[in-house]
Amino acid sequence: MDIEMIYQNKSLKNYNTFGIDVSTKYFVEAKSVEDIKSALEFARENQLQLILFSGGSNMLLTHDFDGLVLKLNLKGIEVVLEEEDFVEVKVKSGENWHEFVQWTLQNDFGGLENLSLIPGNAGTAPIQNIGAYGVEVKDSMTELSALEISTGNIREFTNAECKFGYRDSVFKNEFKNQFIITDVSFQLTKRNHQLRTEYGAIQAELDKLNIQNPTIQDISRAVINIRQSKLPDPKEIGNSGSFFKNPVISKSEFEEIQKKHPEISAYPSGNEVKLAAGWLIEKAGWKGKRFGDAGVHEKQALVLVNYGNATGQEIYDLSQRIVDDVYEKFGINLEREVNIL
Ligand code: EPU
Protein backbone atom coordinates (compact mmCIF):
# COMPACT_ATOMS: atom_id res chain seq x y z
CA MET A 1 0.00 0.00 0.00
CA ASP A 2 1.11 3.49 -0.85
CA ILE A 3 2.13 4.86 2.55
CA GLU A 4 0.77 8.34 1.69
CA MET A 5 -2.70 6.87 1.79
CA ILE A 6 -2.31 6.11 5.48
CA TYR A 7 -3.28 9.05 7.66
CA GLN A 8 -1.96 9.39 11.18
CA ASN A 9 -3.68 10.71 14.31
CA LYS A 10 -6.92 11.43 12.53
CA SER A 11 -10.17 12.55 14.15
CA LEU A 12 -13.10 10.17 13.56
CA LYS A 13 -15.78 12.81 14.21
CA ASN A 14 -16.90 12.91 10.57
CA TYR A 15 -16.91 9.13 10.23
CA ASN A 16 -19.54 8.21 12.85
CA THR A 17 -23.12 9.43 12.80
CA PHE A 18 -23.06 10.04 16.57
CA GLY A 19 -20.41 12.69 15.79
CA ILE A 20 -18.13 11.52 18.61
CA ASP A 21 -14.70 13.15 18.47
CA VAL A 22 -12.12 10.46 19.15
CA SER A 23 -8.95 9.86 17.15
CA THR A 24 -7.13 6.93 15.62
CA LYS A 25 -3.41 6.42 15.30
CA TYR A 26 -3.74 5.12 11.70
CA PHE A 27 -6.54 5.55 9.18
CA VAL A 28 -6.90 4.21 5.67
CA GLU A 29 -9.74 4.20 3.15
CA ALA A 30 -10.18 1.12 0.94
CA LYS A 31 -11.72 1.56 -2.51
CA SER A 32 -11.06 -1.99 -3.73
CA VAL A 33 -10.49 -5.52 -2.48
CA GLU A 34 -6.78 -4.99 -3.24
CA ASP A 35 -6.75 -1.92 -0.94
CA ILE A 36 -8.36 -4.00 1.82
CA LYS A 37 -5.70 -6.68 1.45
CA SER A 38 -2.88 -4.11 1.58
CA ALA A 39 -4.36 -2.52 4.69
CA LEU A 40 -4.67 -5.89 6.40
CA GLU A 41 -1.03 -6.56 5.58
CA PHE A 42 -0.01 -3.16 6.99
CA ALA A 43 -1.91 -3.94 10.21
CA ARG A 44 -0.28 -7.37 10.48
CA GLU A 45 3.24 -6.10 9.78
CA ASN A 46 2.91 -3.37 12.40
CA GLN A 47 0.93 -5.52 14.84
CA LEU A 48 -1.91 -3.02 14.88
CA GLN A 49 -5.39 -3.69 16.13
CA LEU A 50 -7.81 -3.47 13.20
CA ILE A 51 -11.07 -1.53 13.49
CA LEU A 52 -13.50 -1.66 10.57
CA PHE A 53 -15.59 1.36 9.64
CA SER A 54 -18.31 1.53 7.03
CA GLY A 55 -21.13 4.09 7.27
CA GLY A 56 -20.37 4.64 10.97
CA SER A 57 -24.10 4.60 11.70
CA ASN A 58 -24.27 1.79 14.21
CA MET A 59 -21.37 2.43 16.53
CA LEU A 60 -20.63 4.35 19.69
CA LEU A 61 -16.95 5.31 20.01
CA THR A 62 -15.89 5.54 23.65
CA HIS A 63 -12.11 6.06 23.40
CA ASP A 64 -9.17 6.87 21.11
CA PHE A 65 -7.65 4.01 19.10
CA ASP A 66 -3.98 3.25 18.72
CA GLY A 67 -4.58 0.78 15.90
CA LEU A 68 -5.67 1.03 12.27
CA VAL A 69 -9.14 2.20 11.28
CA LEU A 70 -9.99 0.72 7.90
CA LYS A 71 -12.80 2.66 6.25
CA LEU A 72 -14.53 0.56 3.59
CA ASN A 73 -15.42 2.56 0.52
CA LEU A 74 -16.00 0.13 -2.34
CA LYS A 75 -18.48 1.63 -4.83
CA GLY A 76 -20.66 0.34 -7.65
CA ILE A 77 -24.13 -0.98 -8.46
CA GLU A 78 -24.74 -3.49 -11.21
CA VAL A 79 -27.62 -5.55 -12.59
CA VAL A 80 -26.19 -9.07 -12.75
CA LEU A 81 -29.25 -10.96 -13.99
CA GLU A 82 -32.44 -9.82 -15.68
CA GLU A 83 -35.54 -11.94 -16.18
CA GLU A 84 -39.08 -11.07 -17.11
CA ASP A 85 -40.29 -10.60 -13.54
CA PHE A 86 -37.11 -10.20 -11.51
CA VAL A 87 -33.68 -8.64 -11.54
CA GLU A 88 -30.69 -9.48 -9.44
CA VAL A 89 -28.73 -6.42 -8.39
CA LYS A 90 -25.28 -6.44 -6.85
CA VAL A 91 -24.19 -3.49 -4.74
CA LYS A 92 -20.68 -2.87 -3.45
CA SER A 93 -20.38 -2.54 0.30
CA GLY A 94 -19.41 1.16 0.45
CA GLU A 95 -22.53 2.44 -1.32
CA ASN A 96 -24.78 4.49 0.94
CA TRP A 97 -27.87 2.37 1.73
CA HIS A 98 -30.50 5.03 1.11
CA GLU A 99 -28.92 6.16 -2.17
CA PHE A 100 -28.91 2.53 -3.27
CA VAL A 101 -32.60 2.17 -2.36
CA GLN A 102 -33.36 5.35 -4.34
CA TRP A 103 -31.49 3.90 -7.34
CA THR A 104 -33.65 0.74 -7.20
CA LEU A 105 -36.79 2.90 -7.12
CA GLN A 106 -35.64 5.06 -10.05
CA ASN A 107 -35.34 1.81 -12.01
CA ASP A 108 -38.75 0.68 -10.73
CA PHE A 109 -37.28 -2.36 -8.96
CA GLY A 110 -39.38 -3.37 -5.95
CA GLY A 111 -38.48 -4.89 -2.57
CA LEU A 112 -36.46 -2.32 -0.67
CA GLU A 113 -38.89 0.63 -0.58
CA ASN A 114 -39.85 0.08 3.08
CA LEU A 115 -36.16 0.33 3.98
CA SER A 116 -35.83 3.90 2.70
CA LEU A 117 -33.78 6.40 4.70
CA ILE A 118 -32.07 3.87 6.97
CA PRO A 119 -28.62 5.28 7.70
CA GLY A 120 -25.48 3.31 6.92
CA ASN A 121 -23.94 1.50 3.97
CA ALA A 122 -25.03 -1.48 1.89
CA GLY A 123 -22.24 -3.73 3.17
CA THR A 124 -23.25 -3.51 6.80
CA ALA A 125 -27.00 -3.87 6.18
CA PRO A 126 -26.84 -7.71 6.34
CA ILE A 127 -24.69 -7.79 9.50
CA GLN A 128 -27.57 -6.66 11.64
CA ASN A 129 -30.27 -7.55 9.12
CA ILE A 130 -31.60 -4.00 9.04
CA GLY A 131 -35.37 -3.72 9.10
CA ALA A 132 -38.22 -1.26 9.21
CA TYR A 133 -41.97 -1.18 8.58
CA GLY A 134 -42.42 -4.93 8.29
CA VAL A 135 -39.46 -5.61 5.95
CA GLU A 136 -35.92 -6.83 6.59
CA VAL A 137 -32.84 -7.16 4.38
CA LYS A 138 -33.16 -10.94 4.63
CA ASP A 139 -36.45 -10.84 2.67
CA SER A 140 -34.75 -10.02 -0.67
CA MET A 141 -31.02 -10.63 -0.20
CA THR A 142 -29.84 -13.58 -2.25
CA GLU A 143 -26.14 -13.77 -1.44
CA LEU A 144 -23.12 -11.75 -0.41
CA SER A 145 -19.35 -11.89 -0.87
CA ALA A 146 -16.99 -11.41 2.04
CA LEU A 147 -13.24 -11.38 2.47
CA GLU A 148 -11.94 -13.60 5.23
CA ILE A 149 -9.56 -11.49 7.31
CA SER A 150 -7.26 -14.35 8.33
CA THR A 151 -6.71 -15.73 4.79
CA GLY A 152 -7.64 -12.92 2.38
CA ASN A 153 -9.92 -15.37 0.54
CA ILE A 154 -13.29 -14.30 -0.78
CA ARG A 155 -16.19 -16.44 0.35
CA GLU A 156 -19.80 -16.38 -0.87
CA PHE A 157 -22.62 -16.65 1.66
CA THR A 158 -26.15 -17.59 0.62
CA ASN A 159 -29.11 -16.07 2.43
CA ALA A 160 -29.49 -19.25 4.54
CA GLU A 161 -25.78 -19.26 5.42
CA CYS A 162 -26.14 -15.78 6.92
CA LYS A 163 -28.50 -17.25 9.59
CA PHE A 164 -30.55 -14.09 9.78
CA GLY A 165 -32.64 -13.21 12.84
CA TYR A 166 -34.13 -10.02 14.27
CA ARG A 167 -31.21 -7.52 13.98
CA ASP A 168 -28.94 -10.56 13.87
CA SER A 169 -26.79 -12.71 11.56
CA VAL A 170 -23.82 -15.05 11.55
CA PHE A 171 -21.60 -11.94 11.32
CA LYS A 172 -22.61 -10.89 14.84
CA ASN A 173 -22.08 -14.38 16.22
CA GLU A 174 -19.72 -17.18 15.13
CA PHE A 175 -18.11 -15.09 12.37
CA LYS A 176 -17.94 -11.83 14.34
CA ASN A 177 -14.96 -9.70 13.19
CA GLN A 178 -13.78 -12.45 10.85
CA PHE A 179 -15.13 -11.26 7.49
CA ILE A 180 -15.31 -8.01 5.53
CA ILE A 181 -18.40 -7.89 3.33
CA THR A 182 -17.46 -6.63 -0.14
CA ASP A 183 -20.76 -6.83 -2.04
CA VAL A 184 -24.37 -7.83 -1.48
CA SER A 185 -26.94 -9.12 -4.02
CA PHE A 186 -30.70 -8.68 -3.95
CA GLN A 187 -33.50 -10.17 -5.99
CA LEU A 188 -35.96 -7.39 -6.77
CA THR A 189 -39.25 -7.36 -8.64
CA LYS A 190 -39.65 -5.72 -12.06
CA ARG A 191 -43.44 -5.97 -11.98
CA ASN A 192 -46.21 -7.32 -9.74
CA HIS A 193 -44.48 -5.59 -6.86
CA GLN A 194 -45.41 -6.97 -3.44
CA LEU A 195 -46.47 -3.89 -1.53
CA ARG A 196 -46.16 -4.07 2.23
CA THR A 197 -48.38 -1.48 3.84
CA GLU A 198 -49.67 -3.53 6.78
CA TYR A 199 -47.38 -1.75 9.24
CA GLY A 200 -49.91 0.72 10.68
CA ALA A 201 -48.07 3.98 10.19
CA ILE A 202 -47.58 3.39 6.43
CA GLN A 203 -51.28 3.03 5.65
CA ALA A 204 -52.06 6.09 7.77
CA GLU A 205 -49.42 8.12 5.94
CA LEU A 206 -50.70 6.99 2.50
CA ASP A 207 -54.22 8.04 3.55
CA LYS A 208 -52.83 11.39 4.61
CA LEU A 209 -51.17 11.77 1.20
CA ASN A 210 -54.49 10.74 -0.36
CA ILE A 211 -52.99 7.81 -2.25
CA GLN A 212 -55.31 4.86 -2.93
CA ASN A 213 -53.23 2.66 -5.24
CA PRO A 214 -49.68 3.21 -4.06
CA THR A 215 -46.60 2.54 -6.18
CA ILE A 216 -43.32 1.43 -4.62
CA GLN A 217 -42.18 5.04 -4.94
CA ASP A 218 -45.24 6.19 -2.95
CA ILE A 219 -44.40 3.72 -0.18
CA SER A 220 -40.85 5.01 -0.07
CA ARG A 221 -42.20 8.56 0.22
CA ALA A 222 -44.52 7.51 3.06
CA VAL A 223 -41.65 5.80 4.92
CA ILE A 224 -39.42 8.85 4.44
CA ASN A 225 -42.16 11.12 5.82
CA ILE A 226 -42.71 8.90 8.88
CA ARG A 227 -39.01 8.56 9.62
CA GLN A 228 -38.37 12.28 9.19
CA SER A 229 -41.24 13.08 11.54
CA LYS A 230 -39.79 11.17 14.47
CA LEU A 231 -36.18 10.18 13.85
CA PRO A 232 -33.47 12.85 14.12
CA ASP A 233 -31.32 13.47 11.03
CA PRO A 234 -27.72 12.55 12.00
CA LYS A 235 -26.51 15.54 9.95
CA GLU A 236 -28.31 17.78 12.43
CA ILE A 237 -28.21 15.83 15.71
CA GLY A 238 -25.72 13.00 16.18
CA ASN A 239 -27.39 9.61 16.66
CA SER A 240 -27.31 5.96 15.65
CA GLY A 241 -30.98 5.20 15.12
CA SER A 242 -32.45 2.78 17.63
CA PHE A 243 -29.91 2.44 20.40
CA PHE A 244 -31.57 -0.65 21.90
CA LYS A 245 -33.24 -3.72 20.42
CA ASN A 246 -36.89 -4.36 21.06
CA PRO A 247 -36.84 -7.13 23.71
CA VAL A 248 -38.43 -10.44 22.74
CA ILE A 249 -40.03 -12.29 25.68
CA SER A 250 -42.24 -15.35 26.20
CA LYS A 251 -46.02 -15.09 26.11
CA SER A 252 -46.27 -15.96 29.79
CA GLU A 253 -43.77 -13.25 30.78
CA PHE A 254 -45.75 -10.84 28.63
CA GLU A 255 -49.04 -11.71 30.32
CA GLU A 256 -47.48 -10.96 33.71
CA ILE A 257 -46.28 -7.52 32.60
CA GLN A 258 -49.57 -6.80 30.85
CA LYS A 259 -51.48 -7.35 34.11
CA LYS A 260 -49.61 -4.42 35.62
CA HIS A 261 -49.44 -2.33 32.43
CA PRO A 262 -52.47 -3.09 30.25
CA GLU A 263 -51.56 -0.35 27.77
CA ILE A 264 -48.07 -1.77 27.01
CA SER A 265 -47.04 -1.62 23.33
CA ALA A 266 -46.11 -5.05 21.91
CA TYR A 267 -46.34 -7.22 18.77
CA PRO A 268 -46.43 -10.99 18.27
CA SER A 269 -43.07 -12.38 17.12
CA GLY A 270 -43.41 -16.06 16.22
CA ASN A 271 -44.35 -17.84 19.45
CA GLU A 272 -43.03 -14.94 21.47
CA VAL A 273 -43.84 -11.28 21.99
CA LYS A 274 -41.74 -8.29 20.94
CA LEU A 275 -42.05 -5.34 23.30
CA ALA A 276 -41.58 -1.77 22.08
CA ALA A 277 -38.45 -0.68 23.95
CA GLY A 278 -39.34 2.93 23.10
CA TRP A 279 -42.54 2.54 25.10
CA LEU A 280 -40.70 1.07 28.13
CA ILE A 281 -38.12 3.87 28.07
CA GLU A 282 -40.75 6.57 27.68
CA LYS A 283 -42.89 5.05 30.48
CA ALA A 284 -39.83 4.96 32.73
CA GLY A 285 -39.62 8.73 32.24
CA TRP A 286 -36.55 9.09 30.01
CA LYS A 287 -38.01 10.51 26.80
CA GLY A 288 -36.57 13.96 26.02
CA LYS A 289 -34.17 13.88 29.00
CA ARG A 290 -30.86 15.65 28.48
CA PHE A 291 -27.65 15.56 30.52
CA GLY A 292 -25.10 17.97 29.10
CA ASP A 293 -24.94 17.10 25.40
CA ALA A 294 -26.10 13.49 25.84
CA GLY A 295 -29.83 12.91 25.60
CA VAL A 296 -32.85 10.77 24.80
CA HIS A 297 -34.62 11.99 21.66
CA GLU A 298 -37.82 13.85 22.37
CA LYS A 299 -39.90 12.12 19.68
CA GLN A 300 -38.56 8.54 19.85
CA ALA A 301 -37.22 7.29 23.19
CA LEU A 302 -35.31 4.43 21.54
CA VAL A 303 -32.87 6.91 20.02
CA LEU A 304 -30.03 8.42 22.08
CA VAL A 305 -28.58 11.65 20.75
CA ASN A 306 -25.45 13.78 20.88
CA TYR A 307 -26.46 17.45 20.93
CA GLY A 308 -22.90 18.54 20.13
CA ASN A 309 -19.93 17.63 22.23
CA ALA A 310 -21.04 14.59 24.23
CA THR A 311 -18.37 11.94 24.71
CA GLY A 312 -19.06 8.32 23.85
CA GLN A 313 -18.65 7.49 27.53
CA GLU A 314 -21.37 10.00 28.50
CA ILE A 315 -23.78 8.44 26.02
CA TYR A 316 -22.83 4.97 27.21
CA ASP A 317 -23.37 5.97 30.86
CA LEU A 318 -26.79 7.37 29.98
CA SER A 319 -27.67 4.11 28.22
CA GLN A 320 -26.61 2.14 31.30
CA ARG A 321 -28.83 4.25 33.56
CA ILE A 322 -31.74 3.54 31.21
CA VAL A 323 -30.97 -0.20 31.19
CA ASP A 324 -30.87 -0.28 35.02
CA ASP A 325 -34.03 1.78 35.41
CA VAL A 326 -36.08 -0.21 32.87
CA TYR A 327 -34.95 -3.40 34.60
CA GLU A 328 -35.98 -2.05 37.97
CA LYS A 329 -39.37 -0.85 36.75
CA PHE A 330 -40.35 -3.67 34.37
CA GLY A 331 -37.94 -6.57 35.03
CA ILE A 332 -36.87 -6.35 31.35
CA ASN A 333 -33.24 -6.37 30.31
CA LEU A 334 -32.68 -4.03 27.35
CA GLU A 335 -29.92 -5.04 24.94
CA ARG A 336 -27.95 -2.47 22.97
CA GLU A 337 -28.33 -2.62 19.21
CA VAL A 338 -25.43 -0.25 18.61
CA ASN A 339 -21.87 -1.62 18.72
CA ILE A 340 -19.77 -0.15 21.52
CA LEU A 341 -16.13 0.42 20.56
N1 EPU B 1 -43.20 4.09 21.35
C1 EPU B 1 -43.44 4.82 22.48
N2 EPU B 1 -42.55 5.81 22.82
C2 EPU B 1 -41.47 6.08 22.08
C3 EPU B 1 -41.23 5.32 20.91
C4 EPU B 1 -42.11 4.31 20.57
O1 EPU B 1 -44.43 4.60 23.20
O2 EPU B 1 -40.72 7.00 22.43
C5 EPU B 1 -44.18 3.06 20.95
C6 EPU B 1 -44.98 3.55 19.75
O3 EPU B 1 -46.09 4.29 20.13
C7 EPU B 1 -45.38 2.27 19.07
C8 EPU B 1 -44.24 1.36 19.38
O4 EPU B 1 -43.52 1.94 20.48
O5 EPU B 1 -46.54 1.75 19.65
C9 EPU B 1 -43.31 1.11 18.20
O6 EPU B 1 -42.73 2.34 17.78
P1 EPU B 1 -42.14 2.54 16.29
O7 EPU B 1 -43.14 2.13 15.27
O8 EPU B 1 -41.56 3.90 16.24
O9 EPU B 1 -41.01 1.45 16.16
P2 EPU B 1 -39.91 0.92 17.17
O10 EPU B 1 -40.30 -0.44 17.60
O11 EPU B 1 -39.64 1.93 18.21
C10 EPU B 1 -38.56 -0.29 15.27
C11 EPU B 1 -37.13 -0.35 14.77
C12 EPU B 1 -36.81 0.90 13.95
C13 EPU B 1 -37.77 0.95 12.78
C14 EPU B 1 -39.21 0.97 13.32
C15 EPU B 1 -40.23 0.92 12.22
C16 EPU B 1 -35.88 -1.66 16.37
C17 EPU B 1 -34.87 -1.65 17.48
N3 EPU B 1 -36.23 -0.46 15.89
O12 EPU B 1 -38.64 0.81 16.18
O13 EPU B 1 -35.49 0.75 13.45
O14 EPU B 1 -37.53 2.09 11.97
O15 EPU B 1 -39.44 -0.18 14.17
O16 EPU B 1 -40.24 -0.35 11.65
O17 EPU B 1 -36.30 -2.74 15.96
C18 EPU B 1 -33.20 1.23 13.86
O18 EPU B 1 -33.04 0.03 13.99
O19 EPU B 1 -32.24 2.05 13.95
C19 EPU B 1 -34.55 1.73 13.64
C20 EPU B 1 -34.82 3.03 13.62
Side-chain angles (χ1 to χ4, degrees):
M1 160 149 310
D2 191 343
I3 204 76
E4 272 119 304
M5 287 171 67
I6 297 175
Y7 298 87
Q8 292 199 37
N9 301 320
K10 189 174 170 68
S11 165
L12 295 171
K13 190 173 166 71
N14 294 331
Y15 294 90
N16 70 101
T17 59
F18 253 123
I20 303 291
D21 194 5
V22 296
S23 67
T24 177
K25 187 151 183 206
Y26 295 102
F27 180 93
V28 66
E29 204 158 317
K31 296 200 164 110
S32 66
V33 169
E34 285 317 306
D35 286 354
I36 297 176
K37 287 185 180 170
S38 308
L40 294 180
E41 203 178 300
F42 178 82
R44 241 189 313 269
E45 275 169 5
N46 295 282
Q47 298 185 348
L48 297 171
Q49 196 206 345
L50 178 74
I51 306 118
L52 298 172
F53 266 55
S54 185
S57 63
N58 203 40
M59 47 167 61
L60 179 65
L61 306 175
T62 56
H63 57 83
D64 291 336
F65 299 101
D66 63 2
L68 173 73
V69 165
L70 171 55
K71 157 99 174 132
L72 302 163
N73 214 2
L74 282 61
K75 300 278 192 193
I77 304 174
E78 137 189 48
V79 173
V80 287
L81 185 77
E82 184 146 10
E83 290 173 13
E84 224 167 19
D85 294 329
F86 297 100
V87 279
E88 186 161 323
V89 175
K90 183 187 276 196
V91 58
K92 294 262 178 68
S93 60
E95 288 286 347
N96 173 272
W97 175 261
H98 179 65
E99 284 168 22
F100 168 58
V101 172
Q102 292 307 302
W103 179 91
T104 65
L105 295 170
Q106 277 150 20
N107 286 281
D108 208 24
F109 299 153
L112 301 178
E113 54 281 0
N114 294 46
L115 303 178
S116 297
L117 213 60
I118 294 187
N121 286 351
T124 38
I127 299 180
Q128 61 152 341
N129 182 25
I130 59 169
Y133 306 102
V135 176
E136 293 178 324
V137 146
K138 76 162 174 37
D139 300 334
S140 54
M141 196 206 90
T142 49
E143 59 177 18
L144 60 80
S145 314
L147 183 143
E148 189 173 25
I149 293 173
S150 62
T151 61
N153 294 336
I154 298 281
R155 177 174 158 183
E156 310 289 329
F157 288 80
T158 62
N159 182 307
E161 284 167 342
C162 293
K163 297 189 189 162
F164 288 123
Y166 165 59
R167 295 293 192 276
D168 203 26
S169 78
V170 77
F171 302 106
K172 286 179 83 173
N173 295 294
E174 61 253 51
F175 291 147
K176 192 174 168 138
N177 296 331
Q178 290 181 42
F179 285 90
I180 297 174
I181 296 174
T182 54
D183 58 65
V184 189
S185 298
F186 294 89
Q187 192 186 63
L188 304 173
T189 47
K190 277 173 69 184
R191 55 185 193 193
N192 302 324
H193 301 309
Q194 309 256 304
L195 306 183
R196 277 138 315 172
T197 57
E198 65 280 6
Y199 201 98
I202 293 196
Q203 194 51 57
E205 184 63 28
L206 291 170
D207 292 346
K208 208 164 107 188
L209 296 171
N210 214 356
I211 294 168
Q212 274 91 35
N213 296 305
T215 61
I216 50 177
Q217 291 80 7
D218 292 331
I219 292 187
S220 171
R221 172 46 47 203
V223 167
I224 289 171
N225 288 356
I226 301 165
R227 291 188 75 97
Q228 283 177 339
S229 73
K230 59 181 177 187
L231 293 170
D233 179 351
K235 288 194 195 95
E236 285 155 27
I237 306 176
N239 77 90
S240 254
S242 299
F243 195 88
F244 301 99
K245 290 195 221 176
N246 283 331
V248 179
I249 61 172
S250 70
K251 277 188 180 149
S252 57
E253 279 176 284
F254 175 64
E255 280 156 15
E256 280 307 304
I257 297 182
Q258 208 185 18
K259 275 185 207 154
K260 282 188 233 151
H261 305 281
E263 74 291 11
I264 192 164
S265 175
Y267 311 88
S269 172
N271 284 329
E272 299 177 300
V273 179
K274 197 189 270 181
L275 299 181
W279 185 92
L280 296 168
I281 298 168
E282 178 174 348
K283 210 66 189 167
W286 291 94
K287 195 173 187 170
K289 282 266 156 69
R290 179 172 174 170
F291 304 89
D293 274 351
V296 181
H297 190 53
E298 52 198 7
K299 294 188 194 141
Q300 164 54 292
L302 204 44
V303 178
L304 300 191
V305 292
N306 172 12
Y307 284 105
N309 294 312
T311 63
Q313 192 61 45
E314 283 166 341
I315 291 182
Y316 183 83
D317 291 346
L318 171 59
S319 76
Q320 190 56 46
R321 289 172 66 191
I322 295 172
V323 169
D324 293 343
D325 194 41
V326 165
Y327 187 77
E328 203 171 290
K329 290 187 169 129
F330 299 98
I332 298 285
N333 207 357
L334 290 182
E335 265 180 56
R336 292 175 182 85
E337 192 208 86
V338 166
N339 297 306
I340 312 295
L341 287 175

